[in-house]
Amino acid sequence: MTHVLLIRLAGPLQSWGLVSRFTRRDTHSRPTKSAVIGLCAAALGLDRTADLGDDELPLAELRFGVRADRPGVPVRDYHTVGAGRFPLRPRDLITDHRRAAAVSRSMEAETGTTFGHHDLAHWYGAPKKIAKDPGSGGLISKQLKRDALITERWYLADAAFLAALEHEDRTLLARIAEALEHPQRLLWLGRKSCPPSGTLACGVHEGTIEDVFTRTPLLPDAAGEHHPWAWIQASPDDTEAAPINDQPVTFDADERTHTLRWETRTRIAIAETATGWDVLL
């Protein structure tokens, strides 16, 4: 017998990147398995280097599915990063002897005797790309001036999804559910600027993801679609399955790795006997 943990993912903004780069941050049309497993790992207080295939917490082994009760609306954010000058701080001088020498020459012409009143033309206030100077051995910034970078960031506005994690061990899923409602770390919907709203964990249910999705009514904040789309993890041998590169291997910042998994796309016919919700929106 398998069991399924349902997770409500709703908020003003969500962003589920698949191929994001610095200047263009995309969002997938729905939550990815990597993001949802990362959400659970954060709630459990796991370190980024934690083994996702650990026998006690085999997060990577969980079968994943997501139902789009409210698909949301794609929103593009015009965003700039960098440029401009900022007052020098003590640490700026400590980390770059060139700044210290330059500011000592300019302080006589400036007003004020405390840090925060002095800046240098064409010098960026926050050190970037800190490295050791071959000559002096001191730490210096390799990037003194930065031009503004324009980035394109995409979000889903007013979306509501029902994610599902399937496993034979009910105790494991119950532990994750408890952590989601009492997280040890901050949680967000794909990006730090996207906090979740209301209840996340919506109970552990017997059956497969397909069965539970059918027996579970639409979320209270759904779009009114009676046959929502769902994407459910499948075997690579399934001829109707398509690959997606969101199977997490490690969240280690130095070697973050994902691999392919397969999923099918299907309409879910909600059973007439499905009961209502009792969640905090």
Side-chain angles (χ1 to χ4, degrees):
M1 174 65 70
T2 60
H3 300 83
V4 174
L5 167 62
L6 294 179
I7 305 173
R8 173 180 172 271
L9 302 173
L13 292 175
Q14 307 183 28
S15 187
W16 312 102
L18 267 181
V19 291
S20 292
R21 296 294 182 267
F22 183 78
T23 56
R24 188 180 189 281
R25 308 290 182 86
D26 74 315
T27 180
H28 202 33
S29 62
R30 57 194 181 275
T32 61
K33 181 178 182 180
S34 175
V36 174
I37 294 299
L39 188 79
C40 297
L44 290 162
L46 301 183
D47 190 82
R48 280 187 171 273
T49 59
D51 182 6
L52 300 179
D54 182 72
D55 291 339
E56 183 179 353
L57 281 172
L59 297 180
E61 297 178 9
L62 298 175
R63 185 172 179 240
F64 175 72
V66 60
R67 197 180 75 184
D69 287 11
R70 188 181 183 96
V73 179
V75 174
R76 176 180 177 270
D77 176 37
Y78 176 87
H79 197 99
T80 60
V81 180
R85 291 185 291 118
F86 301 87
L88 290 168
R89 301 162 296 178
R91 75 173 188 178
D92 299 337
L93 307 185
I94 294 173
T95 56
D96 196 329
H97 63 86
R98 296 171 300 172
R99 292 174 188 266
V103 77
S104 64
R105 294 191 298 269
S106 68
M107 288 182 78
E108 296 178 359
E110 298 285 349
T111 59
T113 58
T114 60
F115 286 106
H117 291 277
H118 307 284
D119 59 19
L120 298 173
H122 310 301
W123 288 64
Y124 188 73
K128 296 294 177 182
K129 299 184 178 179
I130 302 299
K132 183 179 290 187
D133 182 14
S136 66
L139 296 177
I140 63 172
S141 171
K142 292 185 177 180
Q143 191 168 344
L144 303 180
K145 181 182 178 182
R146 293 201 303 172
D147 296 325
L149 296 176
I150 297 175
T151 69
E152 184 180 19
R153 306 189 181 198
W154 286 90
Y155 299 87
L156 294 176
D158 299 323
F161 298 96
L162 193 64
L165 297 175
E166 178 186 314
H167 198 269
E168 295 178 355
D169 188 349
R170 184 185 181 91
T171 302
L172 168 63
L173 298 178
R175 179 180 175 184
I176 297 173
E178 175 70 14
L180 287 172
E181 292 306 309
H182 303 86
Q184 297 187 41
R185 301 183 190 276
L186 294 176
L187 306 181
W188 50 79
L189 303 179
R191 197 172 292 167
K192 292 182 179 179
S193 59
C194 305
S197 65
T199 301
L200 276 78
C202 296
V204 178
H205 310 264
E206 289 187 357
T208 64
I209 293 177
E210 293 86 347
D211 296 335
V212 174
F213 273 171
T214 300
R215 300 197 309 263
T216 304
L218 294 172
L219 289 168
D221 42 11
E225 173 60 63
H226 295 291
H227 294 81
W229 284 108
W231 293 261
I232 301 174
Q233 187 168 334
S235 168
D237 299 329
D238 190 330
T239 57
E240 298 182 357
I244 180 171
N245 189 39
D246 72 343
Q247 173 67 35
V249 177
T250 176
F251 293 128
D252 190 335
D254 294 329
E255 52 179 345
R256 188 179 305 166
T257 307
H258 300 82
T259 188
L260 291 177
R261 69 177 179 89
W262 277 256
E263 64 179 10
T264 56
R265 178 173 180 257
T266 183
R267 288 279 193 181
I268 299 296
I270 307 297
E272 295 181 0
T273 56
T275 58
W277 282 98
D278 182 19
V279 297
L280 178 64
L281 301 181

